[in-house]
Amino acid sequence: MSRYSSWTEVKRQMREARPEVSDAEWEQRKQVARASTEAYVLGHHLREIREEQGLTQAQVAESVGISQARVSQIERGEIHNLETMRAYATALGARITVTIEYGDRRVGAA
């Protein structure tokens, strides 16, 4: 018998250990975790682009009109505002697009 559990088994055990948590709350927790991961990855990519261009956080901050500390936060995935992200990307010569996905449809939203 394997000492490893499948992801399905781990999720089942988690739900059994926390029966007071509703399916809706489990789904909400999953969405929060997904958004956090996506923000972290986005911040990481923005940092890579900045470094490839030889820019400092202070230079990007000045260009965007935010503090160097805020640039650092963004690069660590602390993203709270799409417009700030767009300004940051623009300062690097890049752009951020938003796509709405529903079923098999994909629509560019912004």
Side-chain angles (χ1 to χ4, degrees):
M1 181 169 184
S2 172
R3 63 179 225 213
Y4 301 104
S5 299
S6 70
W7 183 237
T8 301
E9 179 63 17
V10 170
K11 290 190 292 186
R12 185 189 63 72
Q13 290 172 356
M14 286 176 55
R15 285 183 180 231
E16 286 178 358
R18 303 285 310 269
E20 73 279 6
V21 179
S22 70
D23 287 345
E25 188 173 342
W26 283 115
E27 183 60 30
Q28 180 184 12
R29 290 177 181 189
K30 184 170 68 173
Q31 295 302 324
V32 167
R34 178 176 288 128
S36 177
T37 300
E38 289 172 352
Y40 177 81
V41 170
L42 175 59
H44 173 78
H45 286 297
L46 288 171
R47 187 188 93 226
E48 283 184 330
I49 293 169
R50 175 183 59 75
E51 289 175 345
E52 285 173 10
Q53 294 184 8
L55 297 171
T56 66
Q57 288 181 343
Q59 289 170 316
V60 172
E62 184 176 333
S63 177
V64 176
I66 58 178
S67 69
Q68 179 274 325
R70 183 67 186 119
V71 170
S72 177
Q73 291 171 340
I74 291 168
E75 291 181 355
R76 289 191 318 267
E78 297 175 30
I79 298 169
H80 309 289
N81 180 306
L82 181 59
E83 292 311 312
T84 299
M85 298 312 318
R86 283 193 170 133
Y88 186 116
T90 299
L92 300 176
R95 68 186 180 106
I96 292 177
T97 60
V98 176
T99 302
I100 297 172
E101 296 181 13
Y102 180 75
D104 62 347
R105 297 186 327 209
R106 291 177 59 120
V107 179

